[in-house]
Amino acid sequence: MSATYINIHEDLIEACKDGDRKAQFKLYKLYTKAMYNICTRILGDRDLAEDALQEAFVSAFSNIHTFEGRSSFGAWLKRIVVNKCLSILNKRKLFSEPLEENIVDEDTEEDRSGGLVDLDSQQIYQAIKNLPEGCRVIFTLYQLEGYDHQEISEILNVSVSTSKSQFHRAKKLLQESLSPALR
């Protein structure tokens, strides 16, 4: 039997399970900014991000009875948000292009800093937003959301090597795009 996660918002979650709208609103206020940021990074469009955010919260509150406390509420909600964003991408056929398969050295340990430390966050955000769809999604899931390549391959139904190659392609494109700002 796995240990349950000590949830700091347990009282709000229990109230939400009982249908308390005020508790739902409090949880929404606590998590909306972070989840909206995830949506904008994955979708690259503020209007789509707002739609995804609302749909994700509706889904979360409709299914809150399935939350068992094995992880934090934030981690559970984040998974719903990411899945909602990927669903929107799939519906819009933006992610339907096959991802390029470039073999990457499997033994290479990834550098999560990506060399972007000294840049303005707005420059980085804009550069990420301008990446090709597949690169942006994989870069966001790996670099910003902390998923590993195995998890990304399962989420997107692509190979681990595709995830790695798209991540490396995204890093290269970002470096090219941001190199004038690095000088």
Side-chain angles (χ1 to χ4, degrees), residues 28 32 36 39 47-61 81 84:
Y28 177 84
T32 190
Y36 175 75
C39 292
D47 291 333
L48 278 178
E50 288 176 14
D51 291 344
L53 179 69
Q54 297 309 315
E55 290 178 27
F57 270 103
V58 167
S59 178
F61 290 135
V81 167
K84 182 55 66 181

Side-chain angles (χ1 to χ4, degrees), residues 90-102:
N90 286 332
K91 284 179 186 171
R92 295 188 72 219
K93 306 264 189 249
L94 295 176
F95 202 67
S96 61
E97 296 177 16
L99 299 174
E100 294 175 19
E101 287 270 355
N102 295 323

